[in-house]
């Protein structure tokens, strides 16, 4: 199978998998609490994918300082992106009744931007190897499940029809496919080092994982809940670790 077709199929599958949490939420709002546990799992998966797969690939035969610089840039860029989106959500909304509610379009825009970045990450993975591409796709999908639960929940809270919520989120997943194919084709046809891109994506993953892990685990209402979330995070790390080992053996 041509690798570009694999990129298309895996990025599409990753986008559809990410909608599982939102679909469960549509069926029953009682499942919304599962987002907390899914977040801990996703954070572990992202950390493992970033530090055990993408970072070693980025550092192989490359300048460590250059990779570290782009990792730092990735962390800062994603922080600023989320800071801007969060500020725009809140800006003047609560105090001005006649002001057009910006939350719904910003939720949608935020989804599209996140999905586009996910597509870049998937493309970067496949530019290394199909095995790394699959690992990155699964880690991204795991992270997107709890995020989509939040997105679905906010849109439903804004009285958006359930069918429209599903269609909006389904369409936004195509940003992942578009970005994945575009960046893979461009990268595959350019004779350049992919280490800066891998460092950037690693920074994205580390920021997302760290910003999810800390509030998710510390927000536990009891010590038992915190322990369960910690174990789930370790489970995410373990699954990605063994997936990396398995896929490496399968492709070599």
């Amino acid at each position: 199978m041509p690798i570009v077709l694999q990129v298309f199929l895996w990025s599409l599958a990753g986008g559809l998998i990410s909608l599982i949490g939102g679909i469960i939420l549509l069926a029953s709002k009682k499942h919304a609490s599962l987002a907390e546990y899914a977040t801990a799992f996703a954070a572990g998966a992202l950390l493992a994918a970033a530090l055990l797969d993408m970072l070693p690939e980025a550092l192989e035969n490359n300048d460590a300082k250059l990779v570290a610089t782009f990792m730092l840039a990735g962390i800062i860029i994603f922080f600023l992106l989320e800071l801007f989106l969060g500020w725009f959500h809140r800006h003047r909304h609560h105090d001005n009744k006649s002001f057009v509610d910006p939350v719904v379009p910003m939720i949608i825009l935020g989804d599209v931007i996140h999905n586009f970045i996910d597509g870049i990450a998937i493309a970067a993975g496949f530019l290394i190897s199909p095995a790394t591409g699959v690992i990155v796709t699964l880690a991204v999908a795991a992270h997107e499940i709890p995020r989509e639960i939040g997105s679905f929940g906010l849109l439903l809270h804004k009285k958006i029809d359930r069918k429209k919520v599903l269609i909006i989120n389904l369409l936004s997943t195509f940003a992942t496919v578009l970005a994945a194919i575009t960046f893979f084709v461009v990268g595959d046809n350019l004779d350049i080092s992919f280490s800066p891109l891998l460092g950037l994506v690693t920074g994205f993953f580390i920021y997302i994982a760290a910003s999810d892990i800390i509030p998710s685990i510390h927000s536990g209402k009891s010590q038992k809940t915190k322990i369960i979330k910690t174990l789930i995070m370790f489970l995410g790390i373990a699954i990605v670790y063994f997936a990396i080992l398995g896929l490496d053996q399968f492709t070599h």
Side-chain angles (χ1 to χ4, degrees), residues 116-132:
F116 193 82
I117 293 173
D118 290 343
I120 296 174
I122 291 171
F126 275 99
L127 285 168
I128 299 171
S129 70
T132 297

Side-chain angles (χ1 to χ4, degrees), residues 200-216:
L200 196 70
V201 173
T202 300
F204 287 156
F205 279 17
I206 291 174
Y207 171 78
I208 295 168
S211 64
D212 283 346
I213 287 174
I214 295 173
S216 173

